[in-house]
Amino acid sequence: MFWKKKNRANFFKSIRVRLVLGYTVILLVGITAVSVYFSFQMKSRLIEVTKLYLTSEIEGAIDLLEDEESDELGISDFLSRHTRGIKGSHKIGYALFNDKGLILARSEGFLEDKKSVENMIDSYDKEGVSVERESTIRNPDKTIAYLVTRSFRGRAGDIFYLQFGATPFGHREAVNIFMRTGLLMIPVILLVGLVSGFILTSQFLSPISRLIKASNEIMLSDSVSAKDLPIRGVGDELDSLAVSFNNVLRKLRESYQKIILFTANASHEIRLPITAIKGEAEVVLERGRDIEEYRSVMESVVLEMDRLTRMINRLLYLSRGDSGMDKLDIKKVELMGLLSKMVEFYRVLTERKNIILDLSAKESSFFVQADHSKLEELFSNIIENAIRYTPENGSITIEIAKQKDKHVISISDTGIGIPEEEQGKIFERFYRVDKARSREDGGAGLGLSIAAMIVKMHKGEIKVKSQPNKGSVFTISLPRE
């Protein structure tokens, strides 16, 4: 078939098609509703005008009759002449009743409403006050006639009931013409709605089309090379959508660049110990060695393997954290006790370099809800960095304090410090201020990244202040229990 079922389904799934059809339907329903409303208003107004016209004419006729000294025949003759002489858009018929409800005279073809007259006779005021009643009656041709009945007294004191009626043929035709015109306009309205809806939706949805195009470019390219969507500056929702998309695209670019850099750095860092191991093995294989030389080579290999294992474990640690697989084992942890044990553990390393390692606090206990092993990893990375970059005869001070709804742990050292322009980068993976020295000391630039990730997992905050050749202060804030 020319238009397959699948194509039809996709066609009606299009936002543009649905908007155009919705716009057209709303336009059609709106105009139809307005047309129906105005036709009813016109009809109601025409009925009101007809009744006012009949009331005015019947009052004029009664005023004349009350001044005439005529019998029933004379009144009938007068009414016949009077109604024929009425000029207007309505053809008026009449009927004259006596006080018994009997018809004395009526115009040709007039269909009277006897029931209204009978009701008026029952309620007529004996003092002579006029009584008036409005009614409707359906003609044999299914049209509606509007009637006004009025009582009056003749010069002789007799009570009569005069009924005027009219069917607004011309007015009804005007309403019908209005309705037919509205129906004939439906195809035009549909055409205008479809064309204008297509133009408007094309204009409004063009940013979305560009967004789809940019998304496809991202999927088809090896890098996030798609250009930012232009901002029209109108300030509407589509501008907001373009801004949000550009922000997401910018984040993707940054993440992509970080992945490239991370892959390059990881490959480089892994290659170094492997190259060292390979070199040691090749040297051993060149000629025979004594036991001490073999021992020395194997110790070097083990050292490089330890370095490689440690780095791989840290990469896996970061990977689990990024993927959300690494869950926290939240328990009640007392910070003072935890840091006291860590200070004792690292005191052996600090004594080798004659570094003073001190822990102080104004209170004896500081409780947090945290993962105990992760806090150990966090503080180990910071303390090890402080020991690594603090020269001999220096000092490392750990302080704990309470501040409102958090505990603040500061770890300060008198080490080599960090230049101001480098301080914003030290939590990035594989970033090292002094790359050569870090390799010598076994660092791969992952410790502070892990520390920052752990702090973030605990909804805390980590900051650094440092001056070259004066030292650094790492401040860690953790929510209180």
Side-chain angles (χ1 to χ4, degrees), residues 33-65:
V34 170
S35 301
V36 171
Y37 171 78
F38 277 110
S39 66
F40 277 110
Q41 288 294 317
M42 183 184 294
K43 184 177 179 180
S44 300
R45 180 58 181 165
L46 292 177
I47 293 172
E48 184 181 352
V49 169
T50 300
K51 291 179 179 180
L52 290 174
Y53 180 73
L54 289 173
T55 300
S56 175
E57 291 299 331
I58 199 170
E59 287 178 353
I62 288 175
D63 288 342
L64 294 174
L65 286 172

Side-chain angles (χ1 to χ4, degrees), residues 139-374:
N139 294 318
D141 60 356
K142 306 300 182 181
T143 59
I144 302 295
Y146 299 94
L147 307 174
V148 174
T149 307
R150 185 83 176 269
S151 64
F152 70 95
R153 285 181 181 273
R155 291 289 295 274
D158 297 327
I159 300 174
F160 296 95
Y161 296 91
L162 181 59
Q163 191 173 82
F164 272 15
T167 301
F169 294 102
H171 294 73
R172 188 185 66 176
E173 186 64 23
V175 174
N176 291 337
I177 291 173
F178 182 82
M179 290 297 294
R180 285 198 298 271
T181 303
L183 291 175
L184 292 173
M185 287 296 293
I186 288 178
V188 178
I189 294 169
L190 286 173
L191 180 61
V192 172
L194 289 171
V195 173
S196 60
F198 182 81
I199 294 173
L200 289 173
T201 52
S202 296
Q203 181 180 356
F204 291 147
L205 294 178
S206 58
I208 298 179
S209 299
R210 292 195 297 271
L211 187 149
I212 295 171
K213 182 180 178 182
S215 300
N216 291 333
E217 287 178 2
I218 294 172
M219 289 189 293
L220 296 174
S221 63
D222 294 331
S223 61
V224 187
S225 57
K227 296 180 180 178
D228 285 355
L229 293 179
I231 309 299
R232 298 178 302 164
V234 179
D236 58 6
E237 289 83 355
L238 292 176
D239 267 3
S240 300
L241 177 62
V243 170
S244 298
F245 180 82
N246 290 340
N247 291 335
V248 171
L249 190 58
R250 204 168 294 118
K251 281 285 187 182
L252 283 174
R253 291 195 191 103
E254 293 174 359
S255 299
Y256 187 78
Q257 292 301 323
K258 287 180 179 179
I259 290 172
I260 293 175
L261 183 62
F262 178 84
T263 304
N265 287 331
S267 301
H268 178 70
E269 294 296 333
I270 292 173
R271 187 171 62 248
L272 285 176
I274 292 176
T275 302
I277 293 170
K278 183 175 181 293
E280 295 284 355
E282 288 174 347
V283 169
V284 170
L285 292 175
E286 286 180 356
R287 59 181 177 82
R289 307 279 179 172
D290 57 30
I291 294 176
E292 289 301 322
E293 287 178 320
Y294 280 121
R295 180 182 294 278
S296 176
V297 170
M298 293 307 296
E299 287 177 352
S300 178
V301 169
V302 170
L303 180 64
E304 292 297 334
M305 288 298 296
D306 286 343
R307 180 182 299 177
L308 181 60
T309 301
R310 185 165 58 253
M311 183 174 59
I312 292 174
N313 287 337
R314 290 193 168 192
L315 287 173
L316 291 173
Y317 193 99
L318 287 168
S319 178
R320 287 196 302 270
D322 290 340
S323 63
M325 296 173 59
D326 198 5
K327 304 298 182 182
L328 295 177
D329 182 17
I330 299 295
K331 294 180 180 178
K332 188 175 182 179
V333 179
E334 202 284 299
L335 293 176
M336 192 65 182
L338 171 65
L339 287 169
S340 296
K341 292 179 181 178
M342 298 188 72
V343 166
E344 292 303 317
F345 177 81
Y346 284 105
R347 200 174 295 282
V348 176
L349 296 178
T350 57
E351 288 177 351
R352 290 178 185 175
K353 297 176 68 175
N354 198 28
I355 294 173
I356 298 173
L357 179 60
D358 184 45
L359 171 64
S360 65
K362 293 182 179 179
E363 299 184 31
S364 58
S365 60
F366 301 85
F367 290 98
V368 293
Q369 291 292 329
D371 187 314
H372 188 278
S373 62
K374 295 240 178 341

Side-chain angles (χ1 to χ4, degrees), residues 417-428 431-433 464-468:
I418 305 168
E420 185 176 355
E421 64 272 12
E422 305 281 353
Q423 292 177 20
K425 304 175 184 178
I426 61 172
F427 296 107
E428 296 178 5
Y431 188 82
R432 291 178 296 241
V433 178
V464 61
K465 288 184 179 180
S466 182
Q467 292 184 15

